[in-house]
Amino acid sequence: MTGRHIAFIGLGSMGSGMALRLLDSGFRVTVYNRTKERALPVAEAGAELADSAAQAAAAAEVLVLSVADEGAVEEILFHHIELRADVLVVNTSTVSPKYARDASARVEKTGARWIDACVIGNPSQAREGSMRVLASGAPEDVEAAKPMLTALGSSVIPLGPVGQAPAMKLAFNLLLGAQVASLADAVRYGERAGLDRDLLLAAIGVSGFSSKVMSFRADLMRSGEFQPAAFRTSLMLKDLRLVVEEARDLGLELTVTETASAYFERAVAAGKGDFDAAVIGEASA
């Protein structure tokens, strides 16, 4: 890597964990978050606290984005920051492959560079550095980012040109959304058929039909503890919409994914966007 000074923008549950992990790994980290209070625990751990995205990025060699959506990436990169020619942009935010390619092309016009670094894991894994990192971009740029990426993940998987990592991340999140929606259906059916909800969820969680994702969400549905969210319902809806739109551009119809998306859409409309995606298993969801 050209240097060890990282500007980290976006300190939600995943971003905070990643920023703290980078601090623990010996990187110099400057942080910025639109809601300043979220940045304070990371600053107290040793990060430099910037008053703006532009200030955070001013001297750093690497700019890491961990924000909610394409709109936030767009606003930060192309409206609030003047990119320098020597900066490597590392986008961990989940965006569409099409947007990643477009943003990368515009970043490169400034002389800066872009790689996708999509992360698979939860906030605890982000803090521990045990996520999987899906990386795509020019090989030399992915290689330059390797010290940082290996600090964040137990494995770093290079996938080729820009856009490939977002495509794989969306494929994974498609599976997540469909599994949680099918679990919610199984619980609704079981309850209506007279089964005890807790017994059903416990049985599903340890069955051969389960997965780590399904077992984790089954536990959340049993406890009713949906905050703090491991994966917010609003973000699940956003990702499912992205993959459905991308599939349409590719001439595909993803019927299961579109159906699952409707479950999360109803939950967000009911004011549960900040709850974990497992909230769709609630009877009122």
Side-chain angles (χ1 to χ4, degrees):
M1 187 183 292
T2 53
R4 297 181 67 84
H5 184 185
I6 296 170
F8 202 108
I9 297 177
L11 298 168
S13 56
M14 293 294 289
S16 293
M18 287 190 279
L20 288 167
R21 176 65 183 174
L22 291 172
L23 282 171
D24 290 347
S25 301
F27 292 91
R28 177 186 171 192
V29 181
T30 299
V31 296
Y32 171 75
N33 193 74
R34 184 174 57 182
T35 305
K36 187 175 181 179
E37 288 72 22
R38 289 188 178 181
L40 295 179
V42 186
E44 289 169 2
E48 300 169 38
L49 182 60
D51 291 327
S52 66
Q55 185 184 55
E61 295 109 324
V62 179
L63 171 61
V64 181
L65 300 178
S66 178
V67 294
D69 53 30
E70 293 174 359
V73 173
E74 185 75 14
E75 187 72 17
I76 291 164
L77 274 187
F78 303 111
H79 296 280
H80 291 307
I81 290 175
E82 187 171 340
L83 288 169
R84 302 191 320 275
D86 59 342
V87 169
L88 176 61
V89 177
V90 178
N91 182 45
T92 72
S93 319
T94 303
V95 299
S96 71
K98 180 179 179 180
Y99 180 82
R101 290 188 290 266
D102 175 73
S104 173
R106 286 184 286 154
V107 164
E108 289 174 6
K109 285 181 180 178
T110 71
R113 297 161 292 152
W114 164 294
I115 67 167
D116 310 304
C118 300
V119 294
I120 307 295
N122 57 41
S124 295
Q125 290 171 318
R127 182 66 184 89
E128 297 163 359
S130 60
M131 301 182 295
R132 281 178 293 166
V133 181
L134 311 174
S136 55
E140 62 272 20
D141 294 335
V142 173
E143 185 62 31
K146 267 288 185 63
M148 186 197 77
L149 299 181
T150 53
L152 294 176
S154 56
S155 65
V156 178
I157 306 169
L159 293 171
V162 167
Q164 295 300 93
M168 186 171 283
K169 176 66 182 290
L170 288 176
F172 284 179
N173 284 359
L174 178 161
L175 287 171
L176 171 59
Q179 285 188 72
V180 177
S182 66
L183 176 59
D185 270 1
V187 171
R188 287 195 183 98
Y189 164 74
E191 284 188 295
R192 186 64 60 89
L195 297 174
D196 179 86
R197 177 187 172 88
D198 279 355
L199 288 176
L200 174 60
L201 282 166
I204 290 172
V206 297
S207 73
F209 296 98
S210 190
S211 64
K212 289 182 179 179
V213 162
M214 196 173 288
S215 178
F216 177 71
R217 259 69 200 192
D219 286 344
L220 292 185
M221 288 181 188
R222 290 180 71 194
S223 69
E225 299 291 335
F226 302 113
Q227 290 183 306
F231 196 144
R232 295 206 316 269
T233 299
S234 59
L235 295 182
M236 187 77 261
L237 174 60
K238 181 263 296 184
D239 290 354
L240 293 181
R241 284 176 170 170
L242 284 179
V243 76
V244 166
E245 290 168 6
E246 183 81 6
R248 285 174 181 163
D249 289 343
L250 296 171
L252 295 173
E253 183 177 343
L254 302 180
T255 306
V256 171
T257 307
E258 291 189 31
T259 301
S261 177
Y263 284 71
F264 298 99
E265 187 171 6
R266 287 195 293 270
V268 170
K272 298 177 180 178
D274 289 334
F275 289 60
D276 189 85
V279 76
I280 67 167
E282 290 286 273
S284 59

